[in-house]
């Protein structure tokens, strides 16, 4: 009987762990700083952690619960900014670099599955331009708040 109880407890733990583990693929469309969730998909697995400490990037994604508690945060590069490299026609062999900002872009972000997440919040970080570079501050502007679909939280 004792073995049966232990086995039952292990099965319950595995079932709970299977419901909370997984990776969400959140597919967004951003149009002129307006964000829409195109799709979300949960797949089995665990999200690998970065080996290096991440420096702050242009965008931040937060997952929030129904009561507004922050469950998870990730910093990512702005998908609307594309870096182009091309050979300078005037100086063959020399590369030129140019950044282009797109107005319409679609992108996918992988996040660890959070069963209590109900909202994805995207914010843009911009630096102020003071006279003193050491005093530059990052200003956070929310660009999108999209509801996650609870029916896709198996």
């Amino acid at each position: 009987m004792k073995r049966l109880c232990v086995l039952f407890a292990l099965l319950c733990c595995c079932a709970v762990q299977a419901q909370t583990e997984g990776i969400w693929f959140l597919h967004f469309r951003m149009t002129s700083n307006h964000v829409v969730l195109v799709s979300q998909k949960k797949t089995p697995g665990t999200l690998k952690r970065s080996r290096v400490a991440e420096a702050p990037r242009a965008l931040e994604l937060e997952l929030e619960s129904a009561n507004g508690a922050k469950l998870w945060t990730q910093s990512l590069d702005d998908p609307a900014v594309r870096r182009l490299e091309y050979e300078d026609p005037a100086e063959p062999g020399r590369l030129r670099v140019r950044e282009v900002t797109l107005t319409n872009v679609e992108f996918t972000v992988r996040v660890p599955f959070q069963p209590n997440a109900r909202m994805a919040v995207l914010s843009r970080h911009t630096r102020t331009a003071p006279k003193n570079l050491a005093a530059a501050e990052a200003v956070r502007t929310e660009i999108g708040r999209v509801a996650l679909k609870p029916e896709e939280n198996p």
Side-chain angles (χ1 to χ4, degrees):
M1 184 67 171
K2 191 174 187 179
R3 287 184 188 173
L4 193 58
C5 290
V6 170
L7 182 60
F8 180 72
L10 284 173
L11 287 173
C12 288
C13 288
C14 290
V16 168
Q17 187 175 5
Q19 289 177 351
T20 60
E21 284 187 355
I23 300 171
W24 251 346
F25 287 85
L26 302 177
H27 184 82
F28 295 100
R29 179 180 301 124
M30 188 165 57
T31 308
S32 301
N33 287 337
H34 177 72
V35 179
V36 176
L37 181 66
V38 176
S39 67
Q40 71 184 51
K41 180 180 178 184
K42 182 186 178 219
T43 60
T46 56
L47 190 64
K48 296 177 185 175
R49 293 184 186 213
S50 177
R51 293 183 182 182
V52 294
E54 283 191 30
R57 296 184 184 169
L59 292 182
E60 184 175 278
L61 172 67
E62 291 180 352
L63 298 182
E64 292 182 351
S65 66
N67 64 1
K70 187 185 333 182
L71 301 173
W72 187 81
T73 301
Q74 178 181 3
S75 182
L76 55 137
D77 292 328
D78 191 343
V81 176
R82 300 292 163 112
R83 179 184 162 109
L84 303 175
E85 292 183 1
Y86 59 95
E87 185 175 14
D88 187 351
E91 298 178 47
R94 182 176 176 170
L95 287 179
R96 295 283 181 184
V97 177
R98 192 172 123 196
E99 285 189 350
V100 177
T101 303
L102 305 173
T103 54
N104 301 323
V105 67
E106 290 192 19
F107 60 100
T108 302
V109 181
R110 293 177 305 181
V111 300
F113 175 68
Q114 301 287 329
N116 297 328
R118 296 294 177 261
M119 192 70 60
V121 181
L122 276 160
S123 303
R124 185 180 306 279
H125 291 272
T126 54
R127 292 225 171 255
T128 59
K131 295 173 188 170
N132 181 351
L133 279 179
E137 295 179 1
V139 176
R140 182 177 167 208
T141 307
E142 189 175 297
I143 58 172
R145 180 175 284 272
V146 294
L148 297 173
K149 301 169 188 145
E151 65 273 4
E152 294 186 32
N153 297 344

